[in-house]
Amino acid sequence: MNKFTNEVWFVGAEMSPLVKAGGLGDVMGSLPKFLIRKGIDVRVVIPYYKNIIKNECLNIESSYPPGRVNFGEIPFDFGIKTARTDNGIPLVLIEQNHFFNREYVYGSHAGVSEYKDNLWRFAMLAHGAVHAMRVIGIPGVIHSHDWSAGFTPAVARHAFGDEKASRPALIFTIHNLGYQGVYPMDDFYDIGIDFKYNSPSGYEHFGALNSLKGGMLLSDVTTTVSPTYASEITTPRFGFGLEGELKRLYDKGKLKGILNGIDLDYWSPQIDKMIHYRLQNKNESYSLKDYGKWADFKSKNKGSLLNELNLPIRHGKGGKTLPLIGVVSRFAPEKGIDIFLDSLFNWDNFPFHVVMLGSGNSKIEEKAKYLAEIRKDRVCAIVGYDEAMAHKIYAAADIFIMPSKTEPCGLSQMIAMRYGGVIAAGDTGGLHDSVSDMMDKGVKNPTGILIKHMDVNGISWAIDKLYNIYMDENGEKWKSLVINASNQRFGWDDSAAIYENLYHDAISPGY
Ligand code: ADP
Ligand code: GLC
């Protein structure tokens, strides 16, 4: 009898809606749902963050025999629980209160201030996941996500053997190369991982310990979250020091870019319960005739949001309501929010409303709050994480801005388009793969502008261009941008099929 089950186990630090700090949570929550719909048995392993996960979203099923791991001299016990999300996705929760019963996933400020013991916390996730496989059943495929699950391949190889036939197939997905889990090499001896993986073909990188590098090199295949990012990261500009390894994998066909999707049932302007007004149109696709419904949807959501935030509704030429520019983002330097703020500081009397939601880097937070302070009549900056407010901004924004300098995939632009927003975004990674640039003559159905030079001038130019199209009396160009954007369907069907094939390939002996 085959010793492996036919399951695919996801291992990662977040899973929406239980626990989410950014897009990783969305993907860990939605890709399994669509794989399960295709008949694949998926289970998701996450830490049991008792302080974060709401019990009412979770149906705990069983507890399994606990495990123990030595971190250096110190033994740590952990528990294994199985559960199910409300929508039926099977879960394995790693229960270790000292490490996981915290207020945040990675640390305060959207992961910018990290907990000092994150190395141990996420090594615990790997040990817990592999222990759970032993007691529940060894899956055919382990699919680990990001540096925080980067130790899973080593712990699995140690437990089941390095030989392909003796262990599950190992797949590793890079959601963001900017976060690699880099620590002093001496710490390697304190995380319960076999020392043989402390080598350049494992976790060692220029004398440091690098979780993401080992996670990728000890897996059978690595994926990342868009085709453009997969090729970008093989170059020094985007490779964060791992471009050599990434290029080798890419050339061998062992680094693949698979575009993320969003959960179109959850992000739906027709049924979203968190927004002020829902779209009164049941169509699956829209034509210019439907523009009136979209204009109504935007104007009502914009009016209600501005009211809720105490921002006056401002009008321009001909009494037309000025556009609303929306931001929903981690405030990390690579997201370019600081450049967007600079472009607004430099722009006297800018003729639009701005609503920003985000948290992270404290300088960017302070800068956003300061702009809102001096431009009280047109800017609101909400610092924090607020799921409902994010939905309201997507529903209200005429223009959604994502001025990223690098973006592995980006989900916010996909969500914003689903809610009829026109995009201004950096021309990089998944933004390049999902936004159709109106400046590109070859593009038939543009959905926004891709900014080639991500600086103050580039952003101001793009906003000014979209502003003029929005305000144009004739309005035909704006209408078609909105209709094109709202017709985009970045669901999971295509990409889930690609993952399904990849799982099949990865379990085959020669792969
Ligand atoms: P990243 O994963 O790099 O943060 P993505 O665009 O892939 O970027 O995904 C971001 C996800 O997190 C989206 O679902 C977005 O709505 C959500 N998000 C980001 N910041 C906030 C916030 N401050 N409050 C609520 N949701 C947020
Ligand atoms: C990361 C990336 C983002 C991507 C998300 C989900 O957080 O920064 O671009 O969309 O992961 O894969």
Side-chain angles (χ1 to χ4, degrees):
M1 202 184 84
N2 193 336
K3 72 182 206 183
F4 303 114
T5 69
N6 58 7
E7 292 189 357
V8 176
W9 282 33
F10 276 45
V11 183
E14 307 172 31
M15 185 204 190
S16 172
L18 301 177
V19 46
K20 166 171 158 183
L24 172 65
D26 289 283
V27 174
M28 293 279 296
S30 57
L31 174 57
K33 173 173 156 184
F34 291 91
L35 289 169
I36 289 170
R37 274 193 198 168
K38 293 176 88 46
I40 302 171
D41 288 325
V42 183
R43 252 176 221 265
V44 180
V45 189
I46 53 169
Y48 192 8
Y49 308 99
K50 289 188 185 149
N51 213 5
I52 304 175
I53 298 176
K54 291 194 190 77
N55 278 337
E56 61 269 24
C57 302
L58 200 65
N59 309 299
I60 300 272
E61 293 178 337
S62 332
S63 295
Y64 284 83
R68 168 173 285 194
V69 57
N70 284 335
F71 284 166
E73 303 288 300
I74 309 170
F76 285 90
D77 293 326
F78 54 87
I80 303 293
K81 287 196 157 45
T82 53
R84 227 164 253 275
T85 58
D86 278 350
N87 57 5
I89 302 175
L91 296 174
V92 174
L93 300 167
I94 311 305
E95 184 177 32
Q96 215 299 330
N97 291 338
H98 169 69
F99 286 127
F100 299 134
N101 199 11
R102 306 255 173 113
E103 198 176 340
Y104 300 100
V105 178
Y106 307 105
S108 58
H109 295 292
V112 175
S113 329
E114 301 227 315
Y115 290 128
K116 297 285 177 283
D117 57 351
N118 273 353
L119 173 63
W120 289 270
R121 297 176 71 230
F122 292 112
M124 174 58 73
L125 171 63
H127 289 289
V130 172
H131 176 76
M133 293 169 196
R134 282 195 160 125
V135 295
I136 297 174
I138 306 169
V141 177
I142 304 176
H143 188 168
S144 310
H145 296 259
D146 263 357
W147 83 264
S148 37
F151 296 112
T152 319
V155 181
R157 280 169 174 264
H158 181 71
F160 308 124
D162 278 309
E163 288 306 312
K164 183 78 191 300
S166 65
R167 58 164 173 83
L170 298 167
I171 296 182
F172 187 75
T173 294
I174 299 171
H175 291 262
N176 195 329
L177 195 61
Y179 303 84
Q180 297 181 5
V182 177
Y183 294 91
M185 193 35 108
D186 283 352
D187 292 345
F188 194 84
Y189 300 97
D190 287 340
I191 54 173
I193 308 250
D194 193 326
F195 298 160
K196 76 174 180 196
Y197 299 117
N198 161 11
S199 75
S201 54
Y203 294 95
E204 193 269 339
H205 194 54
F206 290 103
L209 154 53
N210 186 314
S211 169
L212 185 136
K213 181 187 177 190
M216 138 181 132
L217 294 187
L218 295 172
S219 292
D220 300 307
V221 58
T222 297
T223 71
T224 188
V225 289
S226 70
T228 295
Y229 193 64
S231 74
E232 284 176 346
I233 57 180
T234 63
T235 65
R237 181 166 165 215
F238 294 99
F240 287 95
L242 288 177
E243 56 276 7
E245 284 74 12
L246 289 159
K247 176 89 170 71
R248 272 191 290 281
L249 291 179
Y250 192 78
D251 291 345
K252 281 197 287 184
K254 291 292 169 92
L255 168 64
K256 296 173 189 295
I258 305 174
L259 193 69
N260 283 332
I262 52 170
D263 183 342
L264 298 173
D265 308 333
Y266 177 76
W267 297 106
S268 160
Q270 282 104 343
I271 56 174
D272 189 333
K273 293 210 168 61
M274 295 188 212
I275 61 182
H276 288 107
Y277 289 92
R278 288 187 273 284
L279 183 72
Q280 301 304 314
N281 193 331
K282 298 272 175 267
N283 293 356
E284 279 303 312
S285 65
Y286 312 102
S287 70
L288 281 174
K289 286 204 302 289
D290 300 306
Y291 179 76
K293 298 261 173 42
W294 278 105
D296 192 48
F297 171 80
K298 281 291 172 199
S299 110
K300 286 182 168 152
N301 280 297
K302 178 159 69 173
S304 306
L305 180 65
L306 294 177
N307 257 329
E308 179 182 341
L309 301 174
N310 286 322
L311 279 184
I313 301 178
R314 303 173 68 235
H315 303 276
K317 240 184 2 208
K320 189 164 181 162
T321 314
L322 294 178
L324 169 62
I325 300 188
V327 171
V328 178
S329 181
R330 287 186 296 113
F331 286 173
E334 76 264 16
K335 295 285 182 184
I337 301 300
D338 50 337
I339 315 177
F340 171 58
L341 291 167
D342 284 341
S343 87
L344 298 184
F345 278 113
N346 283 352
W347 193 334
D348 284 340
N349 243 337
F350 51 83
F352 39 82
H353 311 90
V354 178
V355 178
M356 310 178 61
L357 167 66
S359 67
N361 180 293
S362 51
K363 284 200 185 116
I364 305 177
E365 289 180 355
E366 289 312 313
K367 205 161 158 176
K369 285 198 271 189
Y370 180 60
L371 179 74
E373 181 60 37
I374 61 171
R375 290 273 186 265
K376 272 195 189 63
D377 60 338
R378 61 197 81 177
V379 178
C380 178
I382 305 155
V383 170
Y385 185 91
D386 183 338
E387 184 73 17
M389 181 52 69
H391 286 238
K392 290 180 206 170
I393 296 174
Y394 289 124
D398 299 296
I399 298 168
F400 189 85
I401 184 149
M402 257 175 110
S404 308
K405 296 170 207 163
T406 158
E407 191 62 72
C409 177
L411 302 174
S412 298
Q413 80 284 6
M414 297 179 178
I415 304 168
M417 285 188 264
R418 176 104 170 113
Y419 286 72
V422 175
I423 310 298
D427 190 7
T428 182
L431 297 170
H432 179 85
D433 294 339
S434 59
V435 177
S436 304
D437 184 7
M438 58 180 267
M439 303 311 288
D440 180 343
K441 297 267 178 301
V443 163
K444 274 217 217 80
N445 296 310
T447 54
I449 291 194
L450 288 173
I451 303 166
K452 309 269 183 252
H453 301 286
M454 189 45 73
D455 53 22
V456 165
N457 292 336
I459 293 185
S460 311
W461 163 82
I463 295 178
D464 189 54
K465 192 123 203 116
L466 291 177
Y467 167 80
N468 283 311
I469 298 175
Y470 172 97
M471 291 304 281
D472 182 30
E473 276 159 35
N474 155 354
E476 290 310 311
K477 209 164 172 190
W478 183 259
K479 285 183 193 166
S480 56
L481 281 171
V482 170
I483 293 301
N484 295 341
S486 64
N487 273 328
Q488 302 302 308
R489 290 290 172 275
F490 292 102
W492 271 113
D493 287 349
D494 295 349
S495 297
I498 301 175
Y499 278 111
E500 182 180 17
N501 287 333
L502 189 64
Y503 298 148
H504 280 297
D505 291 348
I507 52 178
S508 64
Y511 193 81

